[in-house]
Amino acid sequence: MDLTGKIKNLAVDYFSKKITVTLEINEAERFIKGVDELKKLEKLSVIIKPFRKKRSLSANAYFHVLVTKIAEKVGTSKAEAKNLMIGRYGQPELIKGDIAVLKTNVPTNIMYKKEDIHTVAIGRRLEKGKEVVFYRLMRGSHTYDSREMSELIKGTIQEAEDLGIETLTPRELEQILGKWKPRKEEEK
């Protein structure tokens, strides 16, 4: 259950050192519908993090339009153009706070054509007479919040303009950026 709210109170049990947290939930109706099943469980996974507006689907759609135009202009595949833009302006995948790195013998000309993984080559070396490549793993744009998506789109726009590709006016871009809402709100 993905909800928003704020911490109202904290209490620490002196003996067990366990903390009781009281939350104020914004999506009360949705929480009430799902809480009975959760109360039956012995253990829950709890993640509390700062709220960030998620990027809109229209922003993601515009990113893909630009990627397609860039791919056509430079004569490459859409997957390669998308991987290039995400590699330059996107967000790294983090595992326990560290940037995720993949070590493989897959060469960059093949890796950059993959649609199911986004990577940036960061090094190579010979191991047992064979070249291995180290790649920084990048998150897919569908996971970005509004700030991250804004960085990706602005960098991609600059690349498109440098290639002579027509892009949205600053005013049109601001309209897209101003409409960002969490996906669930857009579905209503």
Side-chain angles (χ1 to χ4, degrees):
M1 199 178 317
D2 193 9
L3 306 165
T4 62
K6 66 180 183 177
I7 296 173
K8 292 298 282 187
N9 195 19
L10 295 171
V12 179
D13 183 287
Y14 180 76
F15 296 104
S16 70
K17 304 292 188 222
K18 290 189 177 183
I19 299 173
T20 300
V21 180
T22 304
L23 300 173
E24 182 178 275
I25 305 293
N26 294 326
E27 300 83 1
E29 191 173 309
R30 191 159 42 108
F31 179 74
I32 289 168
K33 286 180 183 176
V35 75
D36 287 333
E37 288 300 313
L38 293 173
K39 285 171 38 178
K40 296 175 188 174
L41 301 173
E42 187 68 29
K43 191 173 189 177
L44 299 173
S45 177
V46 178
I47 298 172
I48 298 176
K49 60 185 179 182
F51 173 77
R52 281 196 176 151
K53 280 175 35 177
K54 295 181 181 175
R55 53 92 182 132
S56 70
L57 293 178
S58 62
N60 201 30
Y62 184 55
F63 168 67
H64 284 91
V65 166
L66 290 173
V67 162
T68 300
K69 289 180 178 181
I70 290 169
E72 290 169 358
K73 185 77 170 189
V74 300
T76 191
S77 71
K78 184 179 172 189
E80 283 182 277
K82 181 177 179 182
N83 281 321
L84 186 62
M85 295 302 105
I86 288 176
R88 288 182 181 165
Y89 308 108
Q91 301 298 313
E93 186 69 53
L94 300 177
I95 298 175
K96 294 183 181 179
D98 293 323
I99 293 175
V101 175
L102 171 67
K103 174 182 150 184
T104 181
N105 63 350
V106 177
T108 56
N109 65 328
I110 293 173
M111 186 63 87
Y112 289 162
K113 291 178 182 170
K114 295 190 170 288
E115 295 190 38
D116 59 341
I117 187 169
H118 307 294
T119 61
V120 176
I122 56 173
R124 356 176 147 257
R125 74 173 174 222
L126 286 177
E127 288 187 4
K128 298 180 183 175
K130 296 191 179 193
E131 183 178 64
V132 293
V133 185
F134 295 86
Y135 295 95
R136 179 180 337 126
L137 293 176
M138 304 298 288
R139 289 176 26 221
S141 62
H142 68 280
T143 68
Y144 292 4
D145 63 30
S146 58
R147 179 191 56 79
E148 294 166 338
M149 195 65 178
S150 178
E151 290 175 16
L152 179 63
I153 288 175
K154 287 178 180 176
T156 304
I157 285 172
Q158 186 60 58
E159 297 264 348
E161 288 175 347
D162 290 348
L163 292 168
I165 296 169
E166 188 175 329
T167 61
L168 293 178
T169 65
R171 185 167 187 245
E172 291 169 324
L173 181 59
E174 285 306 314
Q175 287 176 331
I176 286 177
L177 299 177
K179 290 181 182 178
W180 281 351
K181 296 177 185 169
R183 278 188 182 167
K184 290 182 170 92
E185 287 182 27
E186 288 181 350
E187 294 169 0
K188 290 181 183 176

